[in-house]
Coordinates of all heavy atoms in Angstrom, one line a residue:
M1 N 85.6 62.8 102.9 CA 86.2 63.3 101.7 C 87.6 63.7 102.0 O 87.9 64.3 103.0 CB 85.4 64.6 101.3 CG 85.8 65.1 99.9 SD 84.9 66.6 99.4 CE 83.2 65.9 99.3
N2 N 88.6 63.3 101.2 CA 90.0 63.5 101.4 C 90.4 64.9 100.9 O 89.7 65.5 100.0 CB 90.8 62.3 101.0 CG 91.0 62.3 99.5 OD1 90.9 63.2 98.8 ND2 91.3 61.1 99.0
F3 N 91.6 65.3 101.3 CA 92.1 66.6 100.9 C 92.2 66.8 99.4 O 91.8 67.8 98.9 CB 93.5 66.7 101.6 CG 94.2 68.0 101.2 CD1 93.8 69.2 101.7 CD2 95.3 68.0 100.4 CE1 94.4 70.4 101.4 CE2 95.9 69.2 100.0 CZ 95.5 70.4 100.6
N4 N 92.8 65.8 98.7 CA 92.9 65.9 97.3 C 91.6 66.0 96.5 O 91.5 66.7 95.5 CB 93.8 64.8 96.7 CG 95.2 65.0 97.0 OD1 95.8 66.0 97.0 ND2 95.9 63.9 97.5
T5 N 90.5 65.4 97.0 CA 89.2 65.5 96.5 C 88.7 66.9 96.7 O 88.1 67.5 95.8 CB 88.3 64.5 97.1 OG1 88.8 63.2 96.8 CG2 86.9 64.6 96.5
I6 N 88.9 67.4 97.9 CA 88.4 68.8 98.3 C 89.0 69.8 97.4 O 88.2 70.7 96.9 CB 88.6 69.1 99.8 CG1 87.8 68.1 100.7 CG2 88.4 70.5 100.1 CD1 88.2 68.2 102.1
I7 N 90.3 69.8 97.2 CA 90.9 70.9 96.4 C 90.6 70.8 94.9 O 90.9 71.8 94.2 CB 92.4 71.0 96.7 CG1 93.1 69.7 96.2 CG2 92.7 71.3 98.1 CD1 94.7 69.8 96.2
Q8 N 90.0 69.7 94.4 CA 89.7 69.6 93.0 C 88.4 70.4 92.7 O 88.0 70.5 91.5 CB 89.5 68.1 92.6 CG 90.7 67.3 92.6 CD 91.8 67.8 91.6 OE1 91.5 68.2 90.6 NE2 93.0 67.6 92.0
S9 N 87.7 70.9 93.7 CA 86.4 71.5 93.6 C 86.4 72.7 92.7 O 87.5 73.4 92.5 CB 86.0 71.9 95.0 OG 84.8 72.8 94.9
D10 N 85.3 73.0 92.1 CA 85.1 74.2 91.3 C 85.1 75.4 92.2 O 85.4 76.6 91.8 CB 83.8 74.2 90.5 CG 83.9 73.3 89.3 OD1 85.0 72.9 88.9 OD2 82.8 72.9 88.8
V11 N 84.7 75.2 93.5 CA 84.7 76.3 94.5 C 86.1 76.4 95.0 O 86.7 75.4 95.5 CB 83.7 76.0 95.7 CG1 83.9 77.0 96.8 CG2 82.3 75.8 95.2
P12 N 86.7 77.6 95.0 CA 88.1 77.8 95.5 C 88.2 77.4 96.9 O 87.2 77.6 97.7 CB 88.3 79.3 95.3 CG 87.4 79.7 94.2 CD 86.2 78.9 94.4
V13 N 89.3 76.8 97.3 CA 89.6 76.3 98.6 C 90.8 77.0 99.2 O 91.9 77.0 98.6 CB 89.8 74.8 98.6 CG1 90.2 74.3 100.0 CG2 88.6 74.0 98.0
L14 N 90.6 77.6 100.4 CA 91.7 78.2 101.1 C 92.1 77.2 102.2 O 91.3 76.9 103.1 CB 91.3 79.5 101.8 CG 92.4 80.3 102.6 CD1 93.6 80.6 101.6 CD2 91.8 81.5 103.3
A15 N 93.3 76.7 102.1 CA 93.8 75.7 103.0 C 94.8 76.4 104.0 O 95.7 77.0 103.6 CB 94.5 74.5 102.3
D16 N 94.5 76.2 105.3 CA 95.3 76.7 106.3 C 96.1 75.6 106.9 O 95.6 74.7 107.6 CB 94.4 77.3 107.4 CG 95.2 77.8 108.7 OD1 96.4 78.0 108.6 OD2 94.5 77.8 109.7
F17 N 97.4 75.5 106.5 CA 98.3 74.5 107.1 C 98.8 75.0 108.4 O 99.5 76.1 108.4 CB 99.5 74.2 106.1 CG 99.1 73.5 104.8 CD1 98.6 74.2 103.7 CD2 99.1 72.1 104.8 CE1 98.3 73.5 102.6 CE2 98.7 71.4 103.6 CZ 98.3 72.1 102.5
S18 N 98.5 74.3 109.5 CA 98.9 74.8 110.8 C 99.2 73.6 111.7 O 99.2 72.5 111.3 CB 97.7 75.6 111.4 OG 96.6 74.7 111.5
A19 N 99.5 74.0 113.0 CA 99.8 73.0 114.0 C 99.3 73.5 115.3 O 99.2 74.7 115.6 CB 101.4 72.8 114.1
Q20 N 98.9 72.6 116.2 CA 98.3 72.9 117.5 C 99.3 73.7 118.3 O 98.9 74.5 119.2 CB 97.8 71.7 118.2 CG 96.6 71.1 117.4 CD 95.8 70.2 118.3 OE1 96.0 70.0 119.4 NE2 94.7 69.6 117.7
W21 N 100.6 73.4 118.2 CA 101.6 74.0 119.1 C 102.0 75.4 118.6 O 102.8 76.1 119.2 CB 102.8 73.1 119.2 CG 103.3 72.6 117.8 CD1 103.0 71.4 117.3 CD2 104.0 73.3 116.8 NE1 103.5 71.2 116.1 CE2 104.2 72.4 115.7 CE3 104.6 74.5 116.7 CZ2 104.9 72.7 114.6 CZ3 105.3 74.9 115.6 CH2 105.5 74.0 114.5
C22 N 101.5 75.9 117.5 CA 101.9 77.1 116.8 C 101.0 78.3 117.2 O 99.8 78.3 116.9 CB 101.8 76.9 115.3 SG 101.9 78.4 114.3
G23 N 101.6 79.3 117.9 CA 100.9 80.4 118.4 C 100.3 81.3 117.2 O 99.2 81.6 117.3
P24 N 101.2 81.6 116.2 CA 100.6 82.4 115.1 C 99.4 81.7 114.4 O 98.5 82.3 113.9 CB 101.8 82.6 114.2 CG 103.0 82.5 115.1 CD 102.6 81.5 116.1
C25 N 99.5 80.4 114.4 CA 98.4 79.6 113.8 C 97.0 79.9 114.5 O 96.0 80.0 113.9 CB 98.6 78.1 113.8 SG 100.1 77.6 112.9
K26 N 97.1 80.0 115.8 CA 95.9 80.3 116.6 C 95.4 81.7 116.3 O 94.2 81.9 116.3 CB 96.2 80.1 118.1 CG 96.5 78.7 118.6 CD 96.9 78.6 120.0 CE 97.0 77.2 120.6 NZ 98.2 76.5 120.2
A27 N 96.3 82.6 116.0 CA 95.9 83.9 115.6 C 95.1 84.0 114.3 O 94.4 84.9 114.1 CB 97.1 84.9 115.6
M28 N 95.4 83.0 113.4 CA 94.7 82.9 112.1 C 93.3 82.5 112.2 O 92.5 82.9 111.4 CB 95.4 82.0 111.2 CG 96.7 82.5 110.5 SD 96.5 84.1 109.6 CE 95.3 83.7 108.4
A29 N 92.9 81.8 113.3 CA 91.5 81.3 113.4 C 90.4 82.3 113.3 O 89.5 82.2 112.4 CB 91.4 80.5 114.7
P30 N 90.5 83.4 114.0 CA 89.4 84.5 113.9 C 89.5 85.2 112.5 O 88.5 85.6 112.0 CB 89.7 85.4 115.1 CG 91.0 85.1 115.5 CD 91.4 83.7 115.2
I31 N 90.7 85.3 112.0 CA 90.9 86.0 110.7 C 90.2 85.1 109.6 O 89.5 85.6 108.8 CB 92.4 86.2 110.4 CG1 93.0 87.2 111.4 CG2 92.6 86.6 108.9 CD1 94.5 87.3 111.3
L32 N 90.4 83.8 109.7 CA 89.8 82.9 108.7 C 88.3 82.9 108.8 O 87.6 82.8 107.8 CB 90.4 81.5 108.8 CG 91.9 81.4 108.4 CD1 92.5 80.0 108.7 CD2 92.1 81.7 106.9
K33 N 87.8 83.0 110.0 CA 86.4 83.0 110.2 C 85.8 84.3 109.6 O 84.8 84.3 108.9 CB 86.0 83.0 111.7 CG 84.5 83.0 111.9 CD 84.1 83.0 113.4 CE 82.6 83.0 113.6 NZ 81.8 83.6 112.6
Q34 N 86.5 85.4 109.8 CA 86.1 86.7 109.2 C 86.1 86.6 107.7 O 85.1 87.0 107.0 CB 87.0 87.8 109.7 CG 86.5 89.2 109.3 CD 87.5 90.2 109.8 OE1 88.3 90.0 110.6 NE2 87.3 91.4 109.3
V35 N 87.1 86.0 107.1 CA 87.2 85.8 105.6 C 86.1 84.9 105.1 O 85.4 85.3 104.1 CB 88.6 85.3 105.3 CG1 88.6 84.8 103.8 CG2 89.7 86.3 105.5
K36 N 85.8 83.8 105.8 CA 84.7 82.9 105.4 C 83.4 83.6 105.5 O 82.6 83.5 104.6 CB 84.8 81.7 106.3 CG 83.6 80.7 106.0 CD 83.7 80.2 104.5 CE 82.5 79.2 104.3 NZ 82.2 79.1 102.8
D37 N 83.2 84.4 106.5 CA 81.9 85.1 106.7 C 81.7 86.1 105.5 O 80.6 86.3 105.0 CB 81.9 85.9 108.0 CG 81.7 84.9 109.2 OD1 81.4 83.7 109.0 OD2 81.9 85.4 110.4
Q38 N 82.8 86.8 105.1 CA 82.7 87.7 104.0 C 82.5 87.1 102.7 O 81.8 87.6 101.8 CB 84.0 88.6 104.0 CG 84.2 89.5 105.1 CD 83.8 90.9 104.9 OE1 83.8 91.3 103.7 NE2 83.4 91.6 105.9
M39 N 83.2 85.9 102.5 CA 83.2 85.3 101.2 C 82.0 84.4 101.0 O 81.6 84.1 99.8 CB 84.5 84.5 100.9 CG 85.7 85.3 100.9 SD 85.8 86.5 99.5 CE 85.8 85.4 98.1
G40 N 81.4 83.9 102.1 CA 80.2 83.0 102.0 C 80.5 81.7 101.1 O 81.6 81.1 101.3
D41 N 79.6 81.4 100.2 CA 79.8 80.2 99.4 C 80.8 80.3 98.3 O 81.0 79.3 97.6 CB 78.4 79.8 98.9 CG 77.4 79.3 100.0 OD1 77.9 78.9 101.1 OD2 76.2 79.4 99.7
A42 N 81.4 81.4 98.1 CA 82.3 81.6 97.0 C 83.7 81.0 97.4 O 84.6 81.0 96.5 CB 82.5 83.1 96.7
L43 N 83.8 80.6 98.6 CA 85.1 80.1 99.1 C 84.9 79.0 100.2 O 84.1 79.2 101.0 CB 86.0 81.2 99.7 CG 87.3 80.9 100.3 CD1 88.3 80.6 99.1 CD2 87.9 82.0 101.1
R44 N 85.7 78.0 100.1 CA 85.7 77.0 101.2 C 87.0 77.1 101.9 O 88.1 77.3 101.3 CB 85.6 75.6 100.6 CG 85.6 74.5 101.6 CD 85.2 73.2 101.0 NE 85.0 72.2 102.0 CZ 84.7 70.9 101.8 NH1 84.5 70.5 100.6 NH2 84.6 70.1 102.8
V45 N 86.9 77.1 103.3 CA 88.1 77.3 104.1 C 88.3 76.0 104.9 O 87.4 75.5 105.5 CB 88.0 78.5 105.1 CG1 89.2 78.6 106.0 CG2 87.8 79.8 104.3
I46 N 89.5 75.4 104.8 CA 89.8 74.2 105.5 C 91.1 74.3 106.3 O 91.9 75.1 105.9 CB 89.9 72.9 104.6 CG1 91.0 73.1 103.6 CG2 88.6 72.7 103.9 CD1 91.3 71.8 102.7
K47 N 91.2 73.6 107.4 CA 92.4 73.6 108.3 C 93.1 72.3 108.1 O 92.4 71.2 108.3 CB 91.9 73.9 109.7 CG 93.1 74.1 110.6 CD 92.5 74.4 112.0 CE 93.6 75.0 112.9 NZ 93.6 76.4 112.9
I48 N 94.3 72.3 107.9 CA 95.1 71.1 107.8 C 96.2 71.1 108.9 O 97.1 71.9 108.9 CB 95.8 71.0 106.4 CG1 94.9 71.2 105.2 CG2 96.6 69.7 106.3 CD1 93.8 70.1 105.1
D49 N 96.1 70.2 109.8 CA 97.1 70.0 110.9 C 98.3 69.2 110.3 O 98.1 68.1 109.9 CB 96.5 69.3 112.1 CG 97.4 69.2 113.2 OD1 98.6 68.9 113.0 OD2 97.0 69.4 114.4
I50 N 99.4 69.9 110.2 CA 100.6 69.2 109.6 C 101.1 68.0 110.3 O 101.7 67.1 109.8 CB 101.7 70.2 109.3 CG1 102.3 70.8 110.6 CG2 101.3 71.3 108.3 CD1 103.6 71.4 110.5
D51 N 100.8 68.0 111.7 CA 101.3 66.8 112.4 C 100.3 65.7 112.2 O 100.7 64.5 112.2 CB 101.3 67.2 113.9 CG 102.4 68.2 114.2 OD1 103.5 68.2 113.6 OD2 102.2 69.1 115.1
G52 N 99.0 65.9 112.0 CA 98.1 64.9 111.8 C 98.0 64.5 110.3 O 97.4 63.4 110.0
N53 N 98.5 65.3 109.4 CA 98.5 65.0 108.0 C 99.8 65.3 107.3 O 100.0 66.2 106.5 CB 97.4 65.9 107.3 CG 96.0 65.7 107.8 OD1 95.4 64.7 107.5 ND2 95.5 66.6 108.7
P54 N 100.8 64.6 107.8 CA 102.2 64.8 107.2 C 102.3 64.6 105.7 O 103.1 65.3 105.1 CB 103.1 63.8 108.0 CG 102.1 62.8 108.5 CD 100.8 63.4 108.7
Q55 N 101.5 63.8 105.2 CA 101.5 63.5 103.7 C 101.1 64.8 102.9 O 101.7 65.1 101.9 CB 100.7 62.3 103.3 CG 99.2 62.4 103.4 CD 98.6 62.3 104.8 OE1 99.4 62.2 105.8 NE2 97.3 62.4 104.9
A56 N 100.1 65.5 103.4 CA 99.7 66.8 102.7 C 100.8 67.8 102.9 O 101.1 68.5 102.0 CB 98.4 67.2 103.3
A57 N 101.4 67.9 104.1 CA 102.4 68.9 104.3 C 103.6 68.6 103.4 O 104.2 69.5 102.9 CB 102.9 68.8 105.8
K58 N 104.0 67.3 103.3 CA 105.1 66.9 102.4 C 104.7 67.2 100.9 O 105.6 67.7 100.2 CB 105.4 65.5 102.6 CG 106.6 65.0 101.8 CD 106.9 63.5 102.1 CE 108.1 63.1 101.3 NZ 108.5 61.7 101.5
Q59 N 103.5 66.8 100.5 CA 103.1 67.0 99.1 C 103.2 68.5 98.7 O 103.6 68.8 97.6 CB 101.6 66.6 99.0 CG 101.1 66.7 97.6 CD 99.6 66.3 97.5 OE1 99.0 65.8 98.4 NE2 99.0 66.5 96.3
F60 N 102.9 69.4 99.6 CA 102.9 70.8 99.2 C 104.1 71.6 99.8 O 104.2 72.8 99.8 CB 101.6 71.5 99.6 CG 100.5 71.0 98.8 CD1 99.6 70.0 99.3 CD2 100.3 71.4 97.5 CE1 98.6 69.5 98.5 CE2 99.3 70.8 96.7 CZ 98.4 69.9 97.2
Q61 N 105.1 70.8 100.3 CA 106.4 71.3 100.8 C 106.2 72.4 101.8 O 106.8 73.5 101.7 CB 107.2 71.8 99.6 CG 107.5 70.6 98.6 CD 108.2 71.1 97.3 OE1 108.3 72.3 97.0 NE2 108.8 70.1 96.6
I62 N 105.4 72.2 102.8 CA 105.1 73.2 103.8 C 106.4 73.2 104.7 O 106.8 72.3 105.3 CB 103.9 72.8 104.7 CG1 102.7 72.6 103.8 CG2 103.7 73.8 105.8 CD1 102.3 73.8 102.9
Q63 N 107.0 74.4 104.7 CA 108.3 74.6 105.5 C 108.0 75.3 106.8 O 108.8 75.1 107.8 CB 109.2 75.5 104.7 CG 109.5 74.9 103.3 CD 110.6 73.8 103.3 OE1 111.5 73.9 104.1 NE2 110.4 72.9 102.5
S64 N 106.9 76.1 106.9 CA 106.6 76.8 108.2 C 105.1 76.9 108.3 O 104.4 76.8 107.3 CB 107.3 78.2 108.2 OG 106.8 79.0 107.1
V65 N 104.7 77.1 109.5 CA 103.2 77.3 109.7 C 103.0 78.6 110.5 O 103.9 79.1 111.2 CB 102.6 76.1 110.5 CG1 102.5 74.9 109.7 CG2 103.4 75.9 111.8
P66 N 101.9 79.3 110.2 CA 100.9 78.9 109.3 C 101.3 79.2 107.9 O 102.0 80.2 107.6 CB 99.7 79.8 109.7 CG 100.3 81.1 110.3 CD 101.6 80.6 110.9
T67 N 100.9 78.4 107.0 CA 101.0 78.6 105.5 C 99.6 78.5 105.0 O 98.8 77.5 105.2 CB 101.9 77.5 104.9 OG1 103.2 77.8 105.3 CG2 101.9 77.7 103.3
L68 N 99.2 79.5 104.2 CA 97.9 79.5 103.5 C 98.1 79.2 102.0 O 99.1 79.7 101.4 CB 97.2 80.8 103.6 CG 96.9 81.3 105.1 CD1 96.4 82.7 105.1 CD2 95.9 80.4 105.7
M69 N 97.3 78.3 101.5 CA 97.3 78.0 100.1 C 95.9 78.1 99.5 O 95.0 77.6 100.1 CB 97.8 76.6 99.8 CG 99.3 76.4 100.1 SD 99.9 74.8 99.5 CE 101.4 75.3 98.8
L70 N 95.8 78.8 98.4 CA 94.5 79.0 97.7 C 94.5 78.0 96.5 O 95.4 78.2 95.6 CB 94.3 80.4 97.3 CG 93.0 80.8 96.7 CD1 91.8 80.5 97.7 CD2 93.0 82.3 96.3
F71 N 93.6 77.1 96.5 CA 93.4 76.2 95.4 C 92.2 76.5 94.5 O 91.2 76.9 95.1 CB 93.3 74.7 95.9 CG 94.5 74.2 96.7 CD1 94.6 74.4 98.0 CD2 95.5 73.5 96.0 CE1 95.7 73.9 98.7 CE2 96.6 73.0 96.7 CZ 96.7 73.2 98.1
H72 N 92.3 76.2 93.2 CA 91.1 76.3 92.4 C 91.3 75.1 91.4 O 92.3 75.0 90.7 CB 91.0 77.6 91.7 CG 89.7 77.8 90.9 ND1 89.6 78.0 89.6 CD2 88.4 77.6 91.4 CE1 88.4 78.1 89.2 NE2 87.6 77.8 90.3
K73 N 90.3 74.2 91.4 CA 90.3 73.0 90.5 C 91.6 72.3 90.6 O 92.2 71.8 89.7 CB 90.1 73.4 89.1 CG 88.7 74.0 88.9 CD 88.4 74.3 87.5 CE 87.0 74.9 87.4 NZ 86.6 75.3 86.0
G74 N 92.1 72.1 91.9 CA 93.3 71.3 92.2 C 94.6 72.0 92.0 O 95.7 71.5 92.3
Q75 N 94.6 73.3 91.5 CA 95.9 74.0 91.2 C 96.1 75.0 92.3 O 95.1 75.7 92.8 CB 95.8 74.8 89.9 CG 95.6 73.8 88.7 CD 96.8 72.9 88.5 OE1 97.9 73.3 88.5 NE2 96.4 71.6 88.3
V76 N 97.3 75.2 92.8 CA 97.7 76.2 93.7 C 97.7 77.5 93.0 O 98.5 77.7 92.0 CB 99.0 76.0 94.4 CG1 99.4 77.1 95.3 CG2 99.0 74.7 95.2
I77 N 96.9 78.5 93.3 CA 96.9 79.8 92.6 C 97.5 80.9 93.4 O 97.7 82.0 92.9 CB 95.4 80.1 92.1 CG1 94.4 80.2 93.2 CG2 95.0 79.2 91.0 CD1 93.0 80.7 92.8
W78 N 97.7 80.6 94.7 CA 98.4 81.6 95.6 C 98.8 80.9 96.9 O 98.1 79.9 97.3 CB 97.4 82.7 95.9 CG 97.9 83.7 96.9 CD1 98.7 84.8 96.7 CD2 97.7 83.7 98.3 NE1 99.0 85.5 97.9 CE2 98.3 84.8 98.9 CE3 97.0 82.9 99.2 CZ2 98.3 85.1 100.2 CZ3 96.9 83.2 100.5 CH2 97.6 84.3 101.0
N79 N 99.9 81.3 97.5 CA 100.3 80.8 98.8 C 101.1 81.8 99.5 O 101.8 82.7 98.9 CB 100.9 79.4 98.7 CG 102.3 79.5 98.1 OD1 103.2 80.0 98.7 ND2 102.5 79.0 97.0
S80 N 101.1 81.8 100.9 CA 101.9 82.7 101.7 C 102.0 82.0 103.1 O 101.2 81.3 103.5 CB 101.2 84.0 101.8 OG 101.9 84.9 102.6
S81 N 103.1 82.4 103.7 CA 103.4 81.9 105.1 C 103.3 83.1 106.1 O 103.6 84.2 105.7 CB 104.7 81.3 105.2 OG 104.8 80.1 104.5
G82 N 102.8 82.8 107.3 CA 102.7 83.8 108.3 C 101.3 84.3 108.5 O 100.4 84.0 107.7
V83 N 101.1 85.1 109.5 CA 99.8 85.7 109.8 C 99.5 86.8 108.8 O 100.4 87.7 108.6 CB 99.7 86.2 111.2 CG1 98.4 86.9 111.5 CG2 99.9 85.0 112.2
I84 N 98.3 86.8 108.2 CA 97.9 87.8 107.2 C 96.6 88.4 107.7 O 95.7 87.7 108.0 CB 97.7 87.2 105.8 CG1 98.9 86.5 105.3 CG2 97.2 88.2 104.9 CD1 98.8 85.7 104.1
P85 N 96.6 89.7 107.9 CA 95.4 90.4 108.4 C 94.2 90.2 107.4 O 94.4 90.0 106.2 CB 95.8 91.9 108.4 CG 97.3 91.9 108.3 CD 97.7 90.7 107.6
A86 N 93.0 90.1 108.0 CA 91.8 89.8 107.2 C 91.6 90.7 105.9 O 91.4 90.2 104.8 CB 90.6 89.8 108.0
P87 N 91.8 92.0 106.0 CA 91.6 92.9 104.8 C 92.6 92.5 103.7 O 92.2 92.5 102.5 CB 91.8 94.3 105.4 CG 91.5 94.2 106.8 CD 92.0 92.9 107.2
Q88 N 93.8 92.3 104.1 CA 94.8 91.9 103.1 C 94.5 90.5 102.5 O 94.6 90.4 101.2 CB 96.2 91.9 103.7 CG 97.3 91.6 102.7 CD 98.7 91.5 103.4 OE1 98.9 92.0 104.5 NE2 99.6 90.9 102.8
L89 N 94.1 89.6 103.3 CA 93.7 88.3 102.8 C 92.5 88.3 101.9 O 92.5 87.7 100.8 CB 93.5 87.3 104.0 CG 93.3 85.8 103.7 CD1 94.4 85.3 102.8 CD2 93.2 85.0 105.0
L90 N 91.5 89.1 102.3 CA 90.3 89.2 101.4 C 90.7 89.8 100.1 O 90.2 89.4 99.0 CB 89.3 90.1 102.1 CG 88.5 89.4 103.2 CD1 87.8 90.4 104.1 CD2 87.5 88.4 102.5
Q91 N 91.6 90.8 100.1 CA 92.0 91.5 98.8 C 92.7 90.4 97.9 O 92.4 90.4 96.7 CB 92.9 92.6 99.1 CG 93.4 93.4 97.9 CD 94.2 94.6 98.3 OE1 94.8 94.6 99.4 NE2 94.3 95.6 97.5
V92 N 93.6 89.6 98.5 CA 94.3 88.6 97.7 C 93.3 87.6 97.1 O 93.3 87.2 95.9 CB 95.3 87.9 98.6 CG1 95.8 86.6 97.9 CG2 96.5 88.8 98.9
I93 N 92.4 87.1 98.0 CA 91.4 86.1 97.5 C 90.5 86.7 96.4 O 90.3 86.0 95.4 CB 90.5 85.6 98.7 CG1 91.4 84.8 99.7 CG2 89.4 84.8 98.2 CD1 90.8 84.5 101.0
R94 N 90.0 87.9 96.6 CA 89.1 88.5 95.6 C 89.9 88.7 94.3 O 89.3 88.6 93.2 CB 88.6 89.8 96.1 CG 87.5 89.5 97.2 CD 87.0 90.8 97.7 NE 85.9 90.5 98.7 CZ 85.6 91.2 99.8 NH1 86.4 92.3 100.1 NH2 84.6 90.9 100.5
A95 N 91.2 88.9 94.3 CA 92.0 89.1 93.1 C 92.2 87.7 92.4 O 92.3 87.7 91.2 CB 93.3 89.7 93.4
H96 N 92.1 86.6 93.1 CA 92.4 85.3 92.5 C 91.2 84.4 92.3 O 91.3 83.5 91.6 CB 93.4 84.5 93.4 CG 94.8 85.1 93.4 ND1 95.2 86.1 94.2 CD2 95.8 84.8 92.6 CE1 96.5 86.4 93.9 NE2 96.9 85.6 92.9
V97 N 90.1 84.7 93.0 CA 88.9 83.9 92.9 C 88.1 84.4 91.7 O 87.5 85.5 91.7 CB 88.0 83.9 94.2 CG1 86.7 83.2 94.0 CG2 88.8 83.3 95.3
P98 N 88.0 83.6 90.6 CA 87.5 84.2 89.4 C 86.0 84.5 89.4 O 85.5 85.4 88.7 CB 87.7 83.0 88.3 CG 88.0 81.8 89.2 CD 88.5 82.3 90.5
L99 N 85.2 83.8 90.2 CA 83.8 84.0 90.2 C 83.3 84.8 91.4 O 82.1 84.9 91.6 CB 83.1 82.6 90.3 CG 83.4 81.7 89.1 CD1 82.8 80.4 89.3 CD2 83.0 82.3 87.8
Y100 N 84.2 85.5 92.1 CA 83.8 86.3 93.2 C 82.9 87.4 92.8 O 83.2 88.1 91.9 CB 84.9 86.8 94.1 CG 84.4 87.7 95.2 CD1 83.9 87.1 96.3 CD2 84.4 89.1 95.1 CE1 83.3 87.8 97.3 CE2 83.9 89.8 96.1 CZ 83.3 89.2 97.2 OH 82.8 89.9 98.2
Q101 N 81.8 87.6 93.5 CA 80.9 88.7 93.2 C 80.5 89.3 94.5 O 80.2 88.6 95.5 CB 79.6 88.2 92.5 CG 80.0 87.5 91.2 CD 78.8 87.4 90.3 OE1 77.7 87.8 90.6 NE2 79.1 86.9 89.1
N102 N 80.5 90.7 94.6 CA 80.1 91.4 95.8 C 78.7 91.2 96.2 O 77.8 91.1 95.4 CB 80.4 92.9 95.6 CG 81.6 93.3 96.4 OD1 82.0 92.7 97.3 ND2 82.1 94.5 96.0

């Protein structure tokens, strides 16, 4: 399944644009796992390596990594660059994910 197909989903998708050489990107891995564990099936989390997928990085004008983008039905509904603590990221996602239920 390709990236554009994945982000068209009814399930919101959090895309982590990162690079293997990026230290802060490595710091996001446990944060994203924690977010996924909290959100369960209400959210899909994917990692996009900008070096391996330059077309996706170009399409969404990724200027720095890590950059997080939240998609719903193919639309970007939120994005931010830099490391974001799990509680703050969960708060943002819950504010933007329309079907989130506790």
Side-chain angles (χ1 to χ4, degrees):
M1 191 179 297
N2 74 25
F3 177 72
N4 287 316
T5 302
I6 292 169
I7 64 171
Q8 293 296 326
S9 169
D10 287 341
V11 175
V13 175
L14 180 63
D16 171 25
F17 290 88
S18 63
Q20 293 199 2
W21 46 262
C22 167
C25 298
K26 291 178 174 77
M28 281 304 302
I31 293 169
L32 292 171
K33 182 183 180 329
Q34 186 179 350
V35 167
K36 177 59 181 159
D37 290 347
Q38 291 263 333
M39 296 297 296
D41 292 339
L43 178 73
R44 182 169 185 180
V45 178
I46 61 173
K47 185 177 196 97
I48 308 294
D49 183 317
I50 62 162
D51 294 326
N53 298 285
Q55 69 284 2
K58 184 177 179 183
Q59 178 181 356
F60 293 101
Q61 300 174 345
I62 304 303
Q63 304 281 323
S64 64
V65 289
T67 292
L68 299 174
M69 291 189 136
L70 185 61
F71 294 90
H72 190 237
K73 296 183 180 177
Q75 300 297 312
V76 176
I77 56 176
W78 174 85
N79 70 70
S80 182
S81 295
V83 175
I84 300 173
Q88 182 183 341
L89 186 53
L90 282 163
Q91 184 177 21
V92 166
I93 292 167
R94 288 177 175 146
H96 288 86
V97 174
L99 302 176
Y100 177 75
Q101 304 200 354
N102 252 340

